[in-house]
Amino acid sequence: MLNYIHQNHKTEALKLFKNQLQLGISEIDEVVIALALKGCRENINLGTQIHSLAITSGFISYQTVPNSLMSMYCKTGNFNEALCVFDSLKFPDRVSYNTLLSGFENDKEALSFAHWMHNIGFVFDAVSYTTALSHCTNEEEFRLGMLFHSLVLKFGLENDVFVGNALVTMYSKWGNIVEAERVFLEMPRKDLVSWNALLSGYAQEGNYSKEATFGFREMMREGVGPDHVSFTSALSACGQERCLELAKQTHGLVIKMAYGTHVSVCNVLISLYYKCDENGDANKVFRSMNERNVVSWTTMLSMSDEKAVSIFKGMRRDGVYPNHVTFVGLIHSVTVKSSLREGKMVHGFCLKTNFLSELNVANSFVTMYAKFDLMEDVLKVFEELDQRDLISWNALISAYAQNGMSLEALQTFLSASMELPPNEYTFGSVLSAIASSECISLKHGQRCHACLIKRGFNSNPIVSARDNPLVQPAGRMALPSSGNVARAKRECPLTNGANLMINRDIFCQNVFSLQ
């Protein structure tokens, strides 16, 4: 049974268990029960039956059996049942505590349990630290992870490869590459997981692409065979560096080591060739894939604005369900092509599939309809948003500015400033609107200028003097076209038809209250 389980032949292991059980309860012991439970990690119904058998036969009193039960329930996503088993134990051992700790899905709850373990005098081992460190995912928990690191050093567990891997992963995840490197270099023994943790940290950080490619070569020199995670990190780094020659060499190695059709590796290859303007190679990789997921199709869709809709249809025929990133790319392509008909079709599909509730999808539709000069549709999408972020407000301000509705853009800027602090894009759009209107005093632009200086955006290229439409070569405000002036004088839909008036005191109060 143990041999079958190690080979992942769980069905055969359970058949042996059933055969033994048919011979009588005397033919099995607590070890057989525990092994059978290991084979039930994908069959919760059979696991609960064995749980009942363990209770009626008395095997539940052996520590290995409840520990195996907790492991089975944790692996099958039934954590509450595992917790009930743990609560029933009179004398839980180290495996009991570590098994339950590994079953928590919520990081805060897991770390609270780890804190309680420490308070009752439980002495952590390598498994305890490895599991606890894997739950240190946000900033507050990261500080707790550093405390765990100090305890690891205090109790001399820093040489354990699993603990070292968990520390490298934690520091890499939070962008502390220097500390991740230090832990990695101090590890007396490194395995593939160690190298992958460091390479992934390099690739994810973005500014360490050279270190990632160098680290990949060093791993190969050390005789550590790469897997799909290693190749993904190395190829991502090649894409960031736009190093096509090294990328093709790595691609050759990918094929040689039989990862040429692996989904995640191929997805990175497609993205890499796209970044390097090698769309032909990207298409070859895509066609060579035996299996394609939503990332594969979405990456291909983003490569061609002209073929985006047909690629989307192919994705649907392939049975792959799109996600919000797919629709953002599709809407962008439709906008670039200026195809209103296709844009409305995509809008209808998003309404039908409830993707319009995704904020970034709705924001993309605001931008699309602004490009098509359909401000009524822009406002309809905007007003139906359940929540609005700064991107939503920026999209609406930019829509007004693009369509010559400068007064409305300024009014929206004031409304947005009451909800969220503006960023450089907010100022860029409102300054463009002010510059293109004869109806708005230049003083409003000067007040915005003072506000953005206080916020530290004065040197930002989006709002700086060389890019700011307020500052023209002749030192004058840009004059709007007659069409834009006429449009700017229209009534603002946001004010129910009332003529828009900008009050100086209200402007100052709204904008400068943000300081």
Side-chain angles (χ1 to χ4, degrees):
M1 287 179 68
L2 184 62
N3 187 44
Y4 276 135
I5 290 171
H6 284 166
Q7 295 178 16
N8 203 31
H9 297 155
K10 298 174 183 176
T11 303
E12 287 78 1
L14 290 172
K15 284 180 180 178
L16 280 177
F17 171 72
K18 290 179 181 178
N19 291 337
Q20 285 297 106
L21 189 59
Q22 287 173 355
L23 296 176
I25 194 71
S26 60
E27 296 297 321
I28 63 174
D29 58 12
E30 73 278 5
V31 177
V32 175
I33 294 286
L35 289 174
L37 289 168
K38 287 181 181 293
C40 294
R41 290 176 179 174
E42 296 175 0
N43 190 339
I44 184 63
N45 292 330
L46 183 57
T48 54
Q49 291 177 31
I50 297 176
H51 188 177
S52 301
L53 175 65
I55 294 172
T56 56
S57 62
F59 287 123
I60 196 72
S61 60
Y62 293 90
Q63 194 69 50
T64 55
V65 174
N67 288 347
S68 296
L69 276 168
M70 286 192 291
S71 178
M72 180 202 67
Y73 283 128
C74 289
K75 291 290 193 304
T76 55
N78 293 275
F79 180 74
N80 288 335
E81 284 77 4
L83 189 59
C84 290
V85 174
F86 181 83
D87 289 338
S88 68
L89 295 176
K90 293 182 180 179
F91 303 104
D93 61 5
R94 185 181 301 277
V95 177
S96 309
Y97 282 103
N98 286 340
T99 300
L100 191 64
L101 179 61
S102 67
F104 281 94
E105 295 182 359
N106 184 282
D107 294 325
K108 288 186 177 180
E109 292 177 357
L111 293 174
S112 296
F113 182 74
H115 187 262
W116 174 77
M117 288 166 58
H118 186 269
N119 286 344
I120 64 172
F122 178 84
V123 179
F124 279 39
D125 61 3
V127 177
S128 313
Y129 283 117
T130 301
T131 307
L133 287 166
S134 69
H135 286 287
C136 298
T137 55
N138 64 33
E139 187 174 352
E140 182 180 349
E141 293 154 2
F142 175 66
R143 290 194 292 268
L144 186 57
M146 296 176 69
L147 177 60
F148 283 135
H149 190 181
S150 66
L151 291 172
V152 165
L153 295 173
K154 179 179 178 180
F155 293 105
L157 293 171
E158 67 274 14
N159 293 334
D160 185 274
V161 66
F162 297 105
V163 175
N165 292 344
L167 286 168
V168 174
T169 301
M170 182 191 73
Y171 284 119
S172 297
K173 187 181 294 183
W174 281 97
N176 195 337
I177 300 299
V178 174
E179 190 63 25
E181 284 178 334
R182 190 182 69 78
V183 174
F184 179 83
L185 293 173
E186 290 177 354
M187 292 174 65
R189 186 169 68 89
K190 306 174 183 70
D191 60 9
L192 178 59
V193 177
S194 316
W195 284 99
N196 283 346
L198 186 65
L199 292 177
S200 298
Y202 283 143
Q204 291 170 14
E205 189 62 19
N207 297 326
Y208 290 85
S209 50
K210 289 182 179 179
E211 287 82 354
T213 54
F214 177 78
F216 181 75
R217 289 193 291 264
E218 282 297 306
M219 182 182 75
M220 297 292 292
R221 291 192 190 102
E222 292 286 336
V224 180
D227 64 357
H228 66 281
V229 179
S230 320
F231 283 123
T232 299
S233 300
L235 291 168
S236 296
C238 291
Q240 292 164 9
E241 287 288 303
R242 303 293 194 275
C243 186
L244 186 59
E245 182 180 353
L246 182 58
K248 290 195 172 185
Q249 293 176 8
T250 308
H251 189 180
L253 186 61
V254 165
I255 295 172
K256 183 179 179 180
M257 299 192 70
Y259 286 101
T261 57
H262 194 282
V263 175
S264 61
V265 176
C266 288
N267 289 344
V268 177
L269 278 167
I270 295 170
S271 178
L272 181 152
Y273 285 127
Y274 173 53
K275 289 178 181 177
C276 296
D277 296 323
E278 297 285 336
N279 288 4
D281 289 327
N283 283 318
K284 288 179 183 178
V285 173
F286 182 77
R287 289 195 298 269
S288 71
M289 297 175 69
N290 297 327
E291 179 187 354
R292 305 178 183 108
N293 61 13
V294 64
V295 178
S296 319
W297 284 100
T298 301
T299 306
M300 288 298 298
L301 185 147
S302 65
M303 288 171 49
S304 174
D305 293 327
E306 289 298 323
K307 299 179 180 178
V309 174
S310 62
I311 292 173
F312 177 75
K313 291 178 180 177
M315 174 183 179
R316 299 292 293 139
R317 286 194 298 269
D318 200 38
V320 178
Y321 199 71
N323 60 17
H324 65 281
V325 181
T326 311
F327 284 112
V328 170
L330 186 60
I331 296 164
H332 172 77
S333 299
V334 168
T335 306
V336 170
K337 288 192 334 183
S338 298
S339 177
L340 177 59
R341 177 176 169 274
E342 290 179 343
K344 285 188 174 292
M345 288 172 59
V346 175
H347 191 176
F349 189 91
C350 288
L351 283 170
K352 184 178 179 180
T353 54
N354 200 35
F355 271 102
L356 204 60
S357 60
E358 294 283 349
L359 190 56
N360 51 358
V361 174
N363 292 342
S364 296
F365 277 119
V366 171
T367 302
M368 184 193 78
Y369 283 123
K371 170 75 180 296
F372 295 140
D373 194 15
L374 296 171
M375 286 305 300
E376 289 185 3
D377 292 301
V378 167
L379 287 168
K380 184 177 180 181
V381 173
F382 183 83
E383 290 170 353
E384 289 177 354
L385 292 176
D386 294 329
Q387 58 178 352
R388 296 161 184 164
D389 61 4
L390 188 57
I391 297 174
S392 312
W393 286 104
N394 286 350
L396 183 60
I397 296 169
S398 178
Y400 280 132
Q402 290 175 34
N403 287 277
M405 303 173 70
S406 304
L407 293 173
E408 290 87 339
L410 183 56
Q411 178 64 40
T412 304
F413 170 73
L414 298 178
S415 300
S417 300
M418 296 177 68
E419 292 194 17
L420 296 164
N423 62 10
E424 63 270 30
Y425 297 100
T426 321
F427 284 115
S429 296
V430 74
L431 288 174
S432 176
I434 294 171
S436 63
S437 175
E438 291 180 334
C439 305
I440 302 176
S441 170
L442 180 60
K443 291 182 180 179
H444 291 307
Q446 292 171 334
R447 294 186 183 107
C448 284
H449 192 184
C451 183
L452 67 89
I453 288 174
K454 290 184 178 181
R455 289 190 163 272
F457 294 130
N458 53 304
S459 60
N460 191 289
I462 296 173
V463 294
S464 64
R466 68 176 182 272
D467 296 304
N468 193 335
L470 279 172
V471 182
Q472 299 297 317
R476 298 179 181 177
M477 185 194 299
L479 293 177
S481 65
S482 58
N484 285 344
V485 171
R487 183 173 293 156
K489 292 179 180 179
R490 291 188 300 186
E491 295 178 341
C492 175
L494 291 179
T495 55
N496 298 321
N499 289 327
L500 180 65
M501 299 294 294
I502 304 298
N503 183 283
R504 173 179 176 179
D505 294 333
I506 294 177
F507 180 92
C508 295
Q509 179 183 358
N510 287 345
V511 176
F512 290 98
S513 64
L514 300 172
Q515 303 308 315

